[in-house]
Amino acid sequence: MTGTSTAPDLERATLDKAASENFPVAPFFLPRTWRDDLMAVYGFARLVDDIGDGDLAPGGADARALGVPPAEAGDRLVLLDAFEADLRRVFDGTPRHPLLRRLQRTARRRSLTPEPFLGLIAANRQDQLVRRYETYADLLAYCELSANPVGRLVLAVTGTATPERIRLSDAICTALQIVEHLQDVAEDLGRDRIYLPAQDMKRFHVQETDLAAKTASASVRALVAYEAQRARDLLNEGAPLVGSVHGRLKLLLAGFVAGGRAAVRAIAAAEYDVLPGPPKPGKVQLLREAGATLRGEG
C-alpha cells in the first residue's frame, strides 16, 4: 500500500489529465458534490485507460498501490486484474489505490453498482487481446464497454437515469469514442491497434500501410469522412438528452455533445487528414457548438 505522501501525487497525476479531454469532465458551474463525484468517476476511467494503454506515470507507484510486485508491474493484464480486485473492494472492503478510495465515497453516496466500472475494465482487457475490428457492429460492441458506461455513470451520479436517457446517452458516448478513434488513428497504429472497421477499410480501398503515412491519401480521407458522419449522426441521435434535463446538468450534457460536434468539425476542417496528429477544436468553436446544442440545433 502506498504511503500518505504518495497518495495525493498518484491522484493528481491522473486527475490533472481532465483538462485535455474533448469534453468537460466536472466544470465549475456544477454543484460541488457533483464535481467531486464526477472527478472520482473520471479518475477511475482515466486510470484504467492509462493501465490499458501503458501510459502510467513512470516509477511504478500505481502498481505498488495495487499490490502488484515489481516483476509484474509491466504486465497490463496483471495490472488490470489487480485493478478489478481493488474495484471490488470499493463495494465490500477498503481499496488500496487512492483513486479508488476516492471512488468509494462516491459509490456509497450515489448508490453506484460495479457493472459500469467492470465494463471499462473489460474494454481495456479487450484492448490487450483484440487489435482489429472486422465490422462496425464489432466496434459498437466495444464502445458498449469502453464508452457507454461513462455516460451511464454521469446519469447515476446526477440521479437522472431513465431507460430513454440511457439510450440517448449511449449514442452520445459511442459517438465520442468514435471521434477519439478518428483523432488518434496514428497514435493507435503506433500501439498496433486499428479501430477503423476492416470492412470499411476494404470498401474505401485503404490498406493498413496507408495509415502509417505522414499525410492521408484521398482514400483514407474518404474513409475518415465516412466514419465522422457516423459519429455526427450518433451525436444528433443522442442530442435530445440535453433537452430532457434542466439546469446545470443541461449545460454539462450540452458540453458533451458540443465537444463531440466541435471535434468532428475540426476533423472536417483538416480535410479529414488525421494522420499528422489529432485535429482539435478551439475554445470559440466549442462555445459555438454548445450554444447551438442548447438551442436544439443540429
Side-chain angles (χ1 to χ4, degrees), residues 214-253:
K214 291 184 178 179
T215 60
S217 66
S219 294
V220 171
R221 292 174 193 242
L223 171 60
V224 172
Y226 178 72
E227 306 299 350
Q229 184 59 51
R230 279 177 155 166
R232 188 181 290 111
D233 290 344
L234 282 168
L235 287 168
N236 291 341
E237 179 185 335
L241 177 64
V242 176
S244 77
V245 298
H246 304 283
R248 288 176 278 189
L249 178 57
K250 186 170 187 172
L251 293 176
L252 177 67
L253 298 182

PDB file of all heavy atoms in Angstrom, residues 214-253:
ATOM      1  N   LYS A 214       2.600   9.887 -43.563  1.00  0.00           N
ATOM      2  CA  LYS A 214       2.641  11.165 -42.842  1.00  0.00           C
ATOM      3  C   LYS A 214       1.389  11.991 -43.074  1.00  0.00           C
ATOM      4  O   LYS A 214       0.970  12.763 -42.216  1.00  0.00           O
ATOM      5  CB  LYS A 214       3.888  11.950 -43.263  1.00  0.00           C
ATOM      6  CG  LYS A 214       5.185  11.326 -42.786  1.00  0.00           C
ATOM      7  CD  LYS A 214       6.381  12.191 -43.138  1.00  0.00           C
ATOM      8  CE  LYS A 214       7.676  11.574 -42.605  1.00  0.00           C
ATOM      9  NZ  LYS A 214       8.868  12.399 -42.950  1.00  0.00           N
ATOM     10  N   THR A 215       0.818  11.874 -44.258  1.00  0.00           N
ATOM     11  CA  THR A 215      -0.454  12.536 -44.553  1.00  0.00           C
ATOM     12  C   THR A 215      -1.386  11.530 -45.220  1.00  0.00           C
ATOM     13  O   THR A 215      -0.939  10.552 -45.818  1.00  0.00           O
ATOM     14  CB  THR A 215      -0.261  13.753 -45.483  1.00  0.00           C
ATOM     15  OG1 THR A 215       0.325  13.308 -46.716  1.00  0.00           O
ATOM     16  CG2 THR A 215       0.637  14.791 -44.841  1.00  0.00           C
ATOM     17  N   ALA A 216      -2.677  11.807 -45.126  1.00  0.00           N
ATOM     18  CA  ALA A 216      -3.673  10.847 -45.592  1.00  0.00           C
ATOM     19  C   ALA A 216      -3.886  10.940 -47.096  1.00  0.00           C
ATOM     20  O   ALA A 216      -3.959  12.046 -47.658  1.00  0.00           O
ATOM     21  CB  ALA A 216      -4.992  11.078 -44.864  1.00  0.00           C
ATOM     22  N   SER A 217      -4.028   9.797 -47.725  1.00  0.00           N
ATOM     23  CA  SER A 217      -4.395   9.747 -49.138  1.00  0.00           C
ATOM     24  C   SER A 217      -5.868  10.084 -49.289  1.00  0.00           C
ATOM     25  O   SER A 217      -6.612  10.185 -48.309  1.00  0.00           O
ATOM     26  CB  SER A 217      -4.134   8.334 -49.679  1.00  0.00           C
ATOM     27  OG  SER A 217      -5.012   7.407 -49.040  1.00  0.00           O
ATOM     28  N   ALA A 218      -6.296  10.228 -50.528  1.00  0.00           N
ATOM     29  CA  ALA A 218      -7.711  10.513 -50.792  1.00  0.00           C
ATOM     30  C   ALA A 218      -8.597   9.395 -50.253  1.00  0.00           C
ATOM     31  O   ALA A 218      -9.691   9.644 -49.731  1.00  0.00           O
ATOM     32  CB  ALA A 218      -7.931  10.709 -52.294  1.00  0.00           C
ATOM     33  N   SER A 219      -8.129   8.156 -50.364  1.00  0.00           N
ATOM     34  CA  SER A 219      -8.923   7.020 -49.878  1.00  0.00           C
ATOM     35  C   SER A 219      -9.064   7.056 -48.361  1.00  0.00           C
ATOM     36  O   SER A 219     -10.151   6.814 -47.819  1.00  0.00           O
ATOM     37  CB  SER A 219      -8.271   5.705 -50.313  1.00  0.00           C
ATOM     38  OG  SER A 219      -8.303   5.566 -51.710  1.00  0.00           O
ATOM     39  N   VAL A 220      -7.967   7.362 -47.666  1.00  0.00           N
ATOM     40  CA  VAL A 220      -8.031   7.443 -46.205  1.00  0.00           C
ATOM     41  C   VAL A 220      -8.945   8.581 -45.779  1.00  0.00           C
ATOM     42  O   VAL A 220      -9.766   8.438 -44.863  1.00  0.00           O
ATOM     43  CB  VAL A 220      -6.618   7.620 -45.611  1.00  0.00           C
ATOM     44  CG1 VAL A 220      -6.699   7.938 -44.114  1.00  0.00           C
ATOM     45  CG2 VAL A 220      -5.780   6.368 -45.841  1.00  0.00           C
ATOM     46  N   ARG A 221      -8.853   9.717 -46.466  1.00  0.00           N
ATOM     47  CA  ARG A 221      -9.718  10.856 -46.127  1.00  0.00           C
ATOM     48  C   ARG A 221     -11.191  10.505 -46.329  1.00  0.00           C
ATOM     49  O   ARG A 221     -12.044  10.887 -45.520  1.00  0.00           O
ATOM     50  CB  ARG A 221      -9.350  12.063 -46.985  1.00  0.00           C
ATOM     51  CG  ARG A 221      -7.990  12.658 -46.668  1.00  0.00           C
ATOM     52  CD  ARG A 221      -7.647  13.755 -47.682  1.00  0.00           C
ATOM     53  NE  ARG A 221      -6.254  14.137 -47.619  1.00  0.00           N
ATOM     54  CZ  ARG A 221      -5.800  15.353 -47.312  1.00  0.00           C
ATOM     55  NH1 ARG A 221      -6.663  16.319 -47.053  1.00  0.00           N
ATOM     56  NH2 ARG A 221      -4.521  15.613 -47.285  1.00  0.00           N
ATOM     57  N   ALA A 222     -11.481   9.782 -47.390  1.00  0.00           N
ATOM     58  CA  ALA A 222     -12.867   9.381 -47.643  1.00  0.00           C
ATOM     59  C   ALA A 222     -13.367   8.446 -46.546  1.00  0.00           C
ATOM     60  O   ALA A 222     -14.519   8.543 -46.091  1.00  0.00           O
ATOM     61  CB  ALA A 222     -12.975   8.715 -49.011  1.00  0.00           C
ATOM     62  N   LEU A 223     -12.497   7.540 -46.115  1.00  0.00           N
ATOM     63  CA  LEU A 223     -12.862   6.625 -45.029  1.00  0.00           C
ATOM     64  C   LEU A 223     -13.106   7.394 -43.736  1.00  0.00           C
ATOM     65  O   LEU A 223     -14.114   7.163 -43.049  1.00  0.00           O
ATOM     66  CB  LEU A 223     -11.743   5.599 -44.831  1.00  0.00           C
ATOM     67  CG  LEU A 223     -11.853   4.693 -43.597  1.00  0.00           C
ATOM     68  CD1 LEU A 223     -13.128   3.865 -43.627  1.00  0.00           C
ATOM     69  CD2 LEU A 223     -10.613   3.790 -43.496  1.00  0.00           C
ATOM     70  N   VAL A 224     -12.215   8.308 -43.401  1.00  0.00           N
ATOM     71  CA  VAL A 224     -12.376   9.088 -42.173  1.00  0.00           C
ATOM     72  C   VAL A 224     -13.650   9.933 -42.243  1.00  0.00           C
ATOM     73  O   VAL A 224     -14.396  10.049 -41.258  1.00  0.00           O
ATOM     74  CB  VAL A 224     -11.138   9.969 -41.927  1.00  0.00           C
ATOM     75  CG1 VAL A 224     -11.371  10.936 -40.766  1.00  0.00           C
ATOM     76  CG2 VAL A 224      -9.918   9.094 -41.644  1.00  0.00           C
ATOM     77  N   ALA A 225     -13.933  10.506 -43.399  1.00  0.00           N
ATOM     78  CA  ALA A 225     -15.161  11.294 -43.560  1.00  0.00           C
ATOM     79  C   ALA A 225     -16.394  10.430 -43.330  1.00  0.00           C
ATOM     80  O   ALA A 225     -17.384  10.874 -42.712  1.00  0.00           O
ATOM     81  CB  ALA A 225     -15.198  11.925 -44.953  1.00  0.00           C
ATOM     82  N   TYR A 226     -16.347   9.214 -43.827  1.00  0.00           N
ATOM     83  CA  TYR A 226     -17.473   8.280 -43.663  1.00  0.00           C
ATOM     84  C   TYR A 226     -17.706   7.972 -42.182  1.00  0.00           C
ATOM     85  O   TYR A 226     -18.845   8.013 -41.690  1.00  0.00           O
ATOM     86  CB  TYR A 226     -17.166   7.010 -44.445  1.00  0.00           C
ATOM     87  CG  TYR A 226     -18.211   5.921 -44.349  1.00  0.00           C
ATOM     88  CD1 TYR A 226     -19.446   6.045 -44.988  1.00  0.00           C
ATOM     89  CD2 TYR A 226     -17.959   4.756 -43.627  1.00  0.00           C
ATOM     90  CE1 TYR A 226     -20.400   5.034 -44.911  1.00  0.00           C
ATOM     91  CE2 TYR A 226     -18.897   3.741 -43.546  1.00  0.00           C
ATOM     92  CZ  TYR A 226     -20.120   3.886 -44.185  1.00  0.00           C
ATOM     93  OH  TYR A 226     -21.059   2.879 -44.111  1.00  0.00           O
ATOM     94  N   GLU A 227     -16.628   7.680 -41.455  1.00  0.00           N
ATOM     95  CA  GLU A 227     -16.770   7.360 -40.034  1.00  0.00           C
ATOM     96  C   GLU A 227     -17.154   8.605 -39.238  1.00  0.00           C
ATOM     97  O   GLU A 227     -17.908   8.518 -38.256  1.00  0.00           O
ATOM     98  CB  GLU A 227     -15.468   6.761 -39.498  1.00  0.00           C
ATOM     99  CG  GLU A 227     -14.936   5.552 -40.254  1.00  0.00           C
ATOM    100  CD  GLU A 227     -15.869   4.345 -40.260  1.00  0.00           C
ATOM    101  OE1 GLU A 227     -16.871   4.341 -39.517  1.00  0.00           O
ATOM    102  OE2 GLU A 227     -15.592   3.393 -41.021  1.00  0.00           O
ATOM    103  N   ALA A 228     -16.660   9.765 -39.659  1.00  0.00           N
ATOM    104  CA  ALA A 228     -17.026  11.004 -38.974  1.00  0.00           C
ATOM    105  C   ALA A 228     -18.518  11.291 -39.117  1.00  0.00           C
ATOM    106  O   ALA A 228     -19.158  11.790 -38.178  1.00  0.00           O
ATOM    107  CB  ALA A 228     -16.210  12.174 -39.522  1.00  0.00           C
ATOM    108  N   GLN A 229     -19.081  10.974 -40.268  1.00  0.00           N
ATOM    109  CA  GLN A 229     -20.512  11.167 -40.459  1.00  0.00           C
ATOM    110  C   GLN A 229     -21.306  10.238 -39.543  1.00  0.00           C
ATOM    111  O   GLN A 229     -22.353  10.626 -39.011  1.00  0.00           O
ATOM    112  CB  GLN A 229     -20.899  10.931 -41.921  1.00  0.00           C
ATOM    113  CG  GLN A 229     -22.368  11.202 -42.222  1.00  0.00           C
ATOM    114  CD  GLN A 229     -22.775  12.638 -41.906  1.00  0.00           C
ATOM    115  OE1 GLN A 229     -22.116  13.585 -42.347  1.00  0.00           O
ATOM    116  NE2 GLN A 229     -23.855  12.815 -41.145  1.00  0.00           N
ATOM    117  N   ARG A 230     -20.812   9.033 -39.364  1.00  0.00           N
ATOM    118  CA  ARG A 230     -21.464   8.114 -38.425  1.00  0.00           C
ATOM    119  C   ARG A 230     -21.475   8.712 -37.016  1.00  0.00           C
ATOM    120  O   ARG A 230     -22.488   8.662 -36.312  1.00  0.00           O
ATOM    121  CB  ARG A 230     -20.728   6.775 -38.416  1.00  0.00           C
ATOM    122  CG  ARG A 230     -21.088   5.860 -39.565  1.00  0.00           C
ATOM    123  CD  ARG A 230     -20.271   4.583 -39.525  1.00  0.00           C
ATOM    124  NE  ARG A 230     -20.979   3.500 -40.201  1.00  0.00           N
ATOM    125  CZ  ARG A 230     -20.417   2.352 -40.557  1.00  0.00           C
ATOM    126  NH1 ARG A 230     -19.137   2.132 -40.294  1.00  0.00           N
ATOM    127  NH2 ARG A 230     -21.135   1.411 -41.165  1.00  0.00           N
ATOM    128  N   ALA A 231     -20.346   9.276 -36.618  1.00  0.00           N
ATOM    129  CA  ALA A 231     -20.270   9.890 -35.292  1.00  0.00           C
ATOM    130  C   ALA A 231     -21.216  11.084 -35.201  1.00  0.00           C
ATOM    131  O   ALA A 231     -21.916  11.269 -34.197  1.00  0.00           O
ATOM    132  CB  ALA A 231     -18.836  10.327 -35.000  1.00  0.00           C
ATOM    133  N   ARG A 232     -21.260  11.893 -36.262  1.00  0.00           N
ATOM    134  CA  ARG A 232     -22.157  13.063 -36.280  1.00  0.00           C
ATOM    135  C   ARG A 232     -23.611  12.609 -36.152  1.00  0.00           C
ATOM    136  O   ARG A 232     -24.401  13.218 -35.400  1.00  0.00           O
ATOM    137  CB  ARG A 232     -21.953  13.840 -37.578  1.00  0.00           C
ATOM    138  CG  ARG A 232     -22.673  15.172 -37.632  1.00  0.00           C
ATOM    139  CD  ARG A 232     -22.441  15.865 -38.958  1.00  0.00           C
ATOM    140  NE  ARG A 232     -21.081  16.348 -39.138  1.00  0.00           N
ATOM    141  CZ  ARG A 232     -20.206  15.854 -40.000  1.00  0.00           C
ATOM    142  NH1 ARG A 232     -20.532  14.838 -40.787  1.00  0.00           N
ATOM    143  NH2 ARG A 232     -18.995  16.374 -40.099  1.00  0.00           N
ATOM    144  N   ASP A 233     -23.975  11.546 -36.860  1.00  0.00           N
ATOM    145  CA  ASP A 233     -25.348  11.043 -36.791  1.00  0.00           C
ATOM    146  C   ASP A 233     -25.687  10.554 -35.381  1.00  0.00           C
ATOM    147  O   ASP A 233     -26.803  10.770 -34.889  1.00  0.00           O
ATOM    148  CB  ASP A 233     -25.542   9.909 -37.797  1.00  0.00           C
ATOM    149  CG  ASP A 233     -25.524  10.397 -39.245  1.00  0.00           C
ATOM    150  OD1 ASP A 233     -25.671  11.617 -39.475  1.00  0.00           O
ATOM    151  OD2 ASP A 233     -25.343   9.547 -40.160  1.00  0.00           O
ATOM    152  N   LEU A 234     -24.743   9.883 -34.747  1.00  0.00           N
ATOM    153  CA  LEU A 234     -24.975   9.404 -33.382  1.00  0.00           C
ATOM    154  C   LEU A 234     -25.130  10.571 -32.406  1.00  0.00           C
ATOM    155  O   LEU A 234     -25.961  10.523 -31.496  1.00  0.00           O
ATOM    156  CB  LEU A 234     -23.829   8.498 -32.940  1.00  0.00           C
ATOM    157  CG  LEU A 234     -23.841   7.061 -33.484  1.00  0.00           C
ATOM    158  CD1 LEU A 234     -22.505   6.368 -33.222  1.00  0.00           C
ATOM    159  CD2 LEU A 234     -24.983   6.256 -32.853  1.00  0.00           C
ATOM    160  N   LEU A 235     -24.319  11.612 -32.592  1.00  0.00           N
ATOM    161  CA  LEU A 235     -24.462  12.792 -31.740  1.00  0.00           C
ATOM    162  C   LEU A 235     -25.839  13.423 -31.914  1.00  0.00           C
ATOM    163  O   LEU A 235     -26.475  13.836 -30.931  1.00  0.00           O
ATOM    164  CB  LEU A 235     -23.365  13.808 -32.058  1.00  0.00           C
ATOM    165  CG  LEU A 235     -21.963  13.453 -31.574  1.00  0.00           C
ATOM    166  CD1 LEU A 235     -20.936  14.375 -32.204  1.00  0.00           C
ATOM    167  CD2 LEU A 235     -21.876  13.532 -30.050  1.00  0.00           C
ATOM    168  N   ASN A 236     -26.300  13.494 -33.150  1.00  0.00           N
ATOM    169  CA  ASN A 236     -27.630  14.045 -33.398  1.00  0.00           C
ATOM    170  C   ASN A 236     -28.713  13.162 -32.796  1.00  0.00           C
ATOM    171  O   ASN A 236     -29.718  13.661 -32.268  1.00  0.00           O
ATOM    172  CB  ASN A 236     -27.855  14.216 -34.901  1.00  0.00           C
ATOM    173  CG  ASN A 236     -26.986  15.317 -35.492  1.00  0.00           C
ATOM    174  OD1 ASN A 236     -26.486  16.180 -34.777  1.00  0.00           O
ATOM    175  ND2 ASN A 236     -26.799  15.284 -36.806  1.00  0.00           N
ATOM    176  N   GLU A 237     -28.508  11.849 -32.872  1.00  0.00           N
ATOM    177  CA  GLU A 237     -29.482  10.919 -32.279  1.00  0.00           C
ATOM    178  C   GLU A 237     -29.567  11.094 -30.770  1.00  0.00           C
ATOM    179  O   GLU A 237     -30.660  11.045 -30.181  1.00  0.00           O
ATOM    180  CB  GLU A 237     -29.073   9.478 -32.610  1.00  0.00           C
ATOM    181  CG  GLU A 237     -29.988   8.420 -32.026  1.00  0.00           C
ATOM    182  CD  GLU A 237     -29.493   7.003 -32.269  1.00  0.00           C
ATOM    183  OE1 GLU A 237     -28.742   6.790 -33.250  1.00  0.00           O
ATOM    184  OE2 GLU A 237     -29.849   6.105 -31.475  1.00  0.00           O
ATOM    185  N   GLY A 238     -28.416  11.311 -30.136  1.00  0.00           N
ATOM    186  CA  GLY A 238     -28.396  11.422 -28.680  1.00  0.00           C
ATOM    187  C   GLY A 238     -28.687  12.805 -28.154  1.00  0.00           C
ATOM    188  O   GLY A 238     -28.992  12.968 -26.961  1.00  0.00           O
ATOM    189  N   ALA A 239     -28.622  13.820 -29.009  1.00  0.00           N
ATOM    190  CA  ALA A 239     -28.751  15.212 -28.563  1.00  0.00           C
ATOM    191  C   ALA A 239     -30.041  15.514 -27.792  1.00  0.00           C
ATOM    192  O   ALA A 239     -30.025  16.380 -26.902  1.00  0.00           O
ATOM    193  CB  ALA A 239     -28.617  16.157 -29.755  1.00  0.00           C
ATOM    194  N   PRO A 240     -31.191  14.863 -28.086  1.00  0.00           N
ATOM    195  CA  PRO A 240     -32.390  15.147 -27.277  1.00  0.00           C
ATOM    196  C   PRO A 240     -32.212  14.890 -25.783  1.00  0.00           C
ATOM    197  O   PRO A 240     -33.015  15.371 -24.980  1.00  0.00           O
ATOM    198  CB  PRO A 240     -33.440  14.194 -27.878  1.00  0.00           C
ATOM    199  CG  PRO A 240     -33.014  14.028 -29.302  1.00  0.00           C
ATOM    200  CD  PRO A 240     -31.517  14.009 -29.249  1.00  0.00           C
ATOM    201  N   LEU A 241     -31.157  14.175 -25.395  1.00  0.00           N
ATOM    202  CA  LEU A 241     -30.874  14.005 -23.970  1.00  0.00           C
ATOM    203  C   LEU A 241     -30.719  15.366 -23.295  1.00  0.00           C
ATOM    204  O   LEU A 241     -31.150  15.556 -22.150  1.00  0.00           O
ATOM    205  CB  LEU A 241     -29.584  13.187 -23.794  1.00  0.00           C
ATOM    206  CG  LEU A 241     -29.096  12.981 -22.360  1.00  0.00           C
ATOM    207  CD1 LEU A 241     -30.098  12.160 -21.567  1.00  0.00           C
ATOM    208  CD2 LEU A 241     -27.725  12.315 -22.352  1.00  0.00           C
ATOM    209  N   VAL A 242     -30.115  16.323 -23.996  1.00  0.00           N
ATOM    210  CA  VAL A 242     -29.875  17.651 -23.420  1.00  0.00           C
ATOM    211  C   VAL A 242     -31.193  18.327 -23.053  1.00  0.00           C
ATOM    212  O   VAL A 242     -31.326  18.915 -21.983  1.00  0.00           O
ATOM    213  CB  VAL A 242     -29.074  18.526 -24.403  1.00  0.00           C
ATOM    214  CG1 VAL A 242     -28.889  19.937 -23.859  1.00  0.00           C
ATOM    215  CG2 VAL A 242     -27.714  17.880 -24.704  1.00  0.00           C
ATOM    216  N   GLY A 243     -32.173  18.218 -23.939  1.00  0.00           N
ATOM    217  CA  GLY A 243     -33.459  18.847 -23.690  1.00  0.00           C
ATOM    218  C   GLY A 243     -34.322  18.124 -22.678  1.00  0.00           C
ATOM    219  O   GLY A 243     -35.357  18.653 -22.253  1.00  0.00           O
ATOM    220  N   SER A 244     -33.900  16.913 -22.279  1.00  0.00           N
ATOM    221  CA  SER A 244     -34.709  16.131 -21.336  1.00  0.00           C
ATOM    222  C   SER A 244     -34.394  16.457 -19.879  1.00  0.00           C
ATOM    223  O   SER A 244     -35.062  15.957 -18.977  1.00  0.00           O
ATOM    224  CB  SER A 244     -34.489  14.631 -21.572  1.00  0.00           C
ATOM    225  OG  SER A 244     -33.252  14.194 -21.026  1.00  0.00           O
ATOM    226  N   VAL A 245     -33.365  17.285 -19.660  1.00  0.00           N
ATOM    227  CA  VAL A 245     -32.985  17.650 -18.292  1.00  0.00           C
ATOM    228  C   VAL A 245     -32.976  19.173 -18.172  1.00  0.00           C
ATOM    229  O   VAL A 245     -33.158  19.890 -19.156  1.00  0.00           O
ATOM    230  CB  VAL A 245     -31.602  17.059 -17.918  1.00  0.00           C
ATOM    231  CG1 VAL A 245     -31.626  15.545 -17.969  1.00  0.00           C
ATOM    232  CG2 VAL A 245     -30.511  17.608 -18.827  1.00  0.00           C
ATOM    233  N   HIS A 246     -32.727  19.649 -16.967  1.00  0.00           N
ATOM    234  CA  HIS A 246     -32.820  21.087 -16.730  1.00  0.00           C
ATOM    235  C   HIS A 246     -31.602  21.572 -15.945  1.00  0.00           C
ATOM    236  O   HIS A 246     -30.811  20.791 -15.428  1.00  0.00           O
ATOM    237  CB  HIS A 246     -34.105  21.415 -15.957  1.00  0.00           C
ATOM    238  CG  HIS A 246     -35.345  20.932 -16.637  1.00  0.00           C
ATOM    239  ND1 HIS A 246     -35.895  21.581 -17.719  1.00  0.00           N
ATOM    240  CD2 HIS A 246     -36.136  19.841 -16.401  1.00  0.00           C
ATOM    241  CE1 HIS A 246     -36.975  20.930 -18.118  1.00  0.00           C
ATOM    242  NE2 HIS A 246     -37.140  19.870 -17.345  1.00  0.00           N
ATOM    243  N   GLY A 247     -31.486  22.875 -15.864  1.00  0.00           N
ATOM    244  CA  GLY A 247     -30.486  23.496 -15.005  1.00  0.00           C
ATOM    245  C   GLY A 247     -29.067  23.217 -15.430  1.00  0.00           C
ATOM    246  O   GLY A 247     -28.743  23.126 -16.613  1.00  0.00           O
ATOM    247  N   ARG A 248     -28.212  23.064 -14.430  1.00  0.00           N
ATOM    248  CA  ARG A 248     -26.787  22.936 -14.703  1.00  0.00           C
ATOM    249  C   ARG A 248     -26.429  21.607 -15.365  1.00  0.00           C
ATOM    250  O   ARG A 248     -25.446  21.525 -16.100  1.00  0.00           O
ATOM    251  CB  ARG A 248     -26.005  23.144 -13.413  1.00  0.00           C
ATOM    252  CG  ARG A 248     -26.021  24.615 -12.974  1.00  0.00           C
ATOM    253  CD  ARG A 248     -25.334  24.852 -11.652  1.00  0.00           C
ATOM    254  NE  ARG A 248     -26.199  24.544 -10.519  1.00  0.00           N
ATOM    255  CZ  ARG A 248     -25.900  24.817  -9.258  1.00  0.00           C
ATOM    256  NH1 ARG A 248     -24.745  25.406  -8.975  1.00  0.00           N
ATOM    257  NH2 ARG A 248     -26.721  24.520  -8.282  1.00  0.00           N
ATOM    258  N   LEU A 249     -27.236  20.576 -15.115  1.00  0.00           N
ATOM    259  CA  LEU A 249     -26.990  19.306 -15.805  1.00  0.00           C
ATOM    260  C   LEU A 249     -27.167  19.474 -17.310  1.00  0.00           C
ATOM    261  O   LEU A 249     -26.438  18.871 -18.104  1.00  0.00           O
ATOM    262  CB  LEU A 249     -27.930  18.219 -15.270  1.00  0.00           C
ATOM    263  CG  LEU A 249     -27.799  16.840 -15.943  1.00  0.00           C
ATOM    264  CD1 LEU A 249     -26.381  16.310 -15.832  1.00  0.00           C
ATOM    265  CD2 LEU A 249     -28.798  15.862 -15.348  1.00  0.00           C
ATOM    266  N   LYS A 250     -28.127  20.309 -17.702  1.00  0.00           N
ATOM    267  CA  LYS A 250     -28.331  20.567 -19.129  1.00  0.00           C
ATOM    268  C   LYS A 250     -27.074  21.165 -19.754  1.00  0.00           C
ATOM    269  O   LYS A 250     -26.673  20.797 -20.860  1.00  0.00           O
ATOM    270  CB  LYS A 250     -29.525  21.513 -19.313  1.00  0.00           C
ATOM    271  CG  LYS A 250     -29.920  21.743 -20.758  1.00  0.00           C
ATOM    272  CD  LYS A 250     -31.257  22.476 -20.831  1.00  0.00           C
ATOM    273  CE  LYS A 250     -31.743  22.551 -22.276  1.00  0.00           C
ATOM    274  NZ  LYS A 250     -33.118  23.083 -22.343  1.00  0.00           N
ATOM    275  N   LEU A 251     -26.434  22.078 -19.037  1.00  0.00           N
ATOM    276  CA  LEU A 251     -25.192  22.676 -19.534  1.00  0.00           C
ATOM    277  C   LEU A 251     -24.095  21.628 -19.665  1.00  0.00           C
ATOM    278  O   LEU A 251     -23.331  21.620 -20.635  1.00  0.00           O
ATOM    279  CB  LEU A 251     -24.733  23.792 -18.600  1.00  0.00           C
ATOM    280  CG  LEU A 251     -25.599  25.051 -18.529  1.00  0.00           C
ATOM    281  CD1 LEU A 251     -25.040  26.005 -17.481  1.00  0.00           C
ATOM    282  CD2 LEU A 251     -25.668  25.729 -19.891  1.00  0.00           C
ATOM    283  N   LEU A 252     -23.990  20.735 -18.681  1.00  0.00           N
ATOM    284  CA  LEU A 252     -22.962  19.693 -18.727  1.00  0.00           C
ATOM    285  C   LEU A 252     -23.155  18.782 -19.929  1.00  0.00           C
ATOM    286  O   LEU A 252     -22.209  18.518 -20.684  1.00  0.00           O
ATOM    287  CB  LEU A 252     -22.995  18.874 -17.440  1.00  0.00           C
ATOM    288  CG  LEU A 252     -22.014  17.694 -17.399  1.00  0.00           C
ATOM    289  CD1 LEU A 252     -20.577  18.188 -17.377  1.00  0.00           C
ATOM    290  CD2 LEU A 252     -22.299  16.795 -16.202  1.00  0.00           C
ATOM    291  N   LEU A 253     -24.385  18.309 -20.117  1.00  0.00           N
ATOM    292  CA  LEU A 253     -24.648  17.381 -21.218  1.00  0.00           C
ATOM    293  C   LEU A 253     -24.489  18.069 -22.567  1.00  0.00           C
ATOM    294  O   LEU A 253     -24.013  17.470 -23.531  1.00  0.00           O
ATOM    295  CB  LEU A 253     -26.047  16.776 -21.077  1.00  0.00           C
ATOM    296  CG  LEU A 253     -26.275  15.947 -19.795  1.00  0.00           C
ATOM    297  CD1 LEU A 253     -27.684  15.359 -19.793  1.00  0.00           C
ATOM    298  CD2 LEU A 253     -25.239  14.846 -19.665  1.00  0.00           C
TER     299      LEU A 253
END
